[in-house]
Amino acid sequence: MDTTLKLLFLAATSIGILALMVLIIDIVMDGLGHFTPDLFTNYPSRRPSSAGMKSAIVGSIYMLLIILPVSFVFGVGAAIYLEEYAKKNRLTRIFQLNISTLAGVPSIVYGILGLTLFVRWFMLERSLISGAFTMTLLVLPIIIVAAQEALKAVPKARRDASFALGATKWQTVSRSVLPSALPGILTGVILAMSRAIGETAPLVMIGALTYVAFLPEKLTDQFTVIPIQIYNWISRPQTEFHELAAAGIMVLLIMLIIMNITAVLLRNKFQKNI
């Protein structure tokens, strides 16, 4: 029985990898002709020959620059409190269950929440800051869960040794536990950012534009991101726009690969230091 399950697992994995390779090859073949400097320097256009995704790339980078510090501070801070300071009682278990549930909620729900909370209640309009805060809500549960698991993996003996040397609770957490858990925390944060950069539904809900021929100059400006620009191109009937969409997918894949490689390198670097 175990051998049969292993064979089925290997077969399913091989089919999945093969399908992914075929899909990537098809995307590269379609988009390679438009993967030129013009793709990065030109704004979107109604003419495929002069269309680019400069505003979408810059918008995605701006989003990450806002999401990363906010989600890191609040996500890791919440994980430290829940794991190191909060009493293990019924209320804590309820909070923990809710956080784990939120990590699996469909992204469109966060779009509705962002539309209600940031666009309407706080009157931030359909702006870059509204989109960034909405995506922060999306990735926060993922970062909290990942950070908690990293903190749990730190041996209890490390905490006991710190207390035995006369360190306070915060000194133990900040100078002993947190550095040991940092590789896992950084990996979780970067993978959460990888999810944020590829999401479309929440930003469509809050009104991110599909055609932006300018760069946002302040946080309250309107914006677009790479997935929305790809969606805009793929929805058009012309074959040239479909090829541009394939080139945009290549850009997104490259960004995701770089972020995942960065996560692996940071984890290995900090693990060696520890």
Side-chain angles (χ1 to χ4, degrees):
M1 187 64 180
D2 291 341
T3 304
T4 304
L5 289 175
K6 289 180 181 178
L7 290 175
L8 289 174
F9 175 76
L10 290 174
T13 304
S14 301
I15 292 172
I17 294 173
L18 181 62
L20 180 61
M21 290 177 62
V22 170
L23 179 61
I24 292 176
I25 291 171
D26 182 60
I27 289 171
V28 172
M29 291 177 63
D30 288 343
L32 194 59
H34 290 274
F35 196 80
T36 62
D38 290 341
L39 183 70
F40 300 90
T41 58
N42 290 358
Y43 291 104
S45 172
R46 293 179 175 85
R47 298 190 303 273
S49 59
S50 58
M53 55 191 312
K54 179 180 178 179
S55 56
I57 294 173
V58 173
S60 293
I61 293 173
Y62 282 175
M63 288 277 290
L64 285 178
L65 291 177
I66 298 171
I67 296 169
L68 181 59
V70 176
S71 59
F72 183 87
V73 170
F74 285 98
V76 177
I80 290 174
Y81 173 76
L82 290 172
E83 196 62 34
E84 302 293 335
Y85 289 94
K87 296 180 179 179
K88 307 303 179 183
N89 52 29
R90 184 178 180 182
L91 183 61
T92 305
R93 289 194 295 271
I94 292 174
F95 277 125
Q96 189 65 58
L97 177 61
N98 288 334
I99 291 170
S100 301
T101 303
L102 287 172
V105 169
S107 59
I108 189 68
V109 176
Y110 288 98
I112 297 172
L113 179 60
L115 176 65
T116 303
L117 190 60
F118 302 120
V119 176
R120 295 179 178 171
W121 284 10
F122 293 133
M123 293 183 290
L124 296 174
E125 304 301 332
R126 304 174 186 274
S127 60
L128 179 64
I129 192 69
S130 294
F133 283 167
T134 301
M135 299 308 293
T136 299
L137 292 179
L138 173 68
V139 300
L140 264 179
I142 302 171
I143 293 175
I144 293 173
V145 171
Q148 280 191 274
E149 293 301 321
L151 291 169
K152 288 178 183 177
V154 178
K156 188 175 181 297
R158 190 179 293 271
R159 295 176 174 85
D160 294 339
S162 179
F163 288 133
L165 293 173
T168 63
K169 180 70 173 179
W170 173 243
Q171 288 174 332
T172 299
V173 171
S174 61
R175 300 180 186 179
S176 180
V177 177
L178 197 55
S180 300
L182 197 58
I185 292 174
L186 290 178
T187 301
V189 169
I190 294 176
L191 293 179
M193 294 302 103
S194 300
R195 179 182 176 184
I197 200 175
E199 285 288 349
T200 307
L203 300 179
V204 171
M205 282 299 301
I206 68 165
L209 301 180
T210 57
Y211 180 82
V212 174
F214 57 87
L215 297 181
E217 296 180 355
K218 52 184 183 296
L219 295 178
T220 54
D221 284 348
Q222 292 181 315
F223 71 104
T224 190
V225 291
I226 295 175
I228 291 181
Q229 186 63 65
I230 293 171
Y231 168 77
N232 176 260
W233 281 338
I234 206 69
S235 62
R236 299 191 178 191
Q238 297 95 326
T239 304
E240 292 85 355
F241 279 116
H242 296 172
E243 293 172 353
L244 279 168
I249 293 171
M250 290 172 61
V251 174
L252 187 59
L253 284 174
I254 290 171
M255 292 180 69
L256 292 174
I257 290 171
I258 291 173
M259 293 176 71
N260 281 271
I261 291 174
T262 302
V264 173
L265 293 177
L266 286 174
R267 182 183 62 198
N268 293 339
K269 180 179 184 301
F270 282 104
Q271 282 179 341
K272 288 179 180 178
N273 291 340
I274 293 170

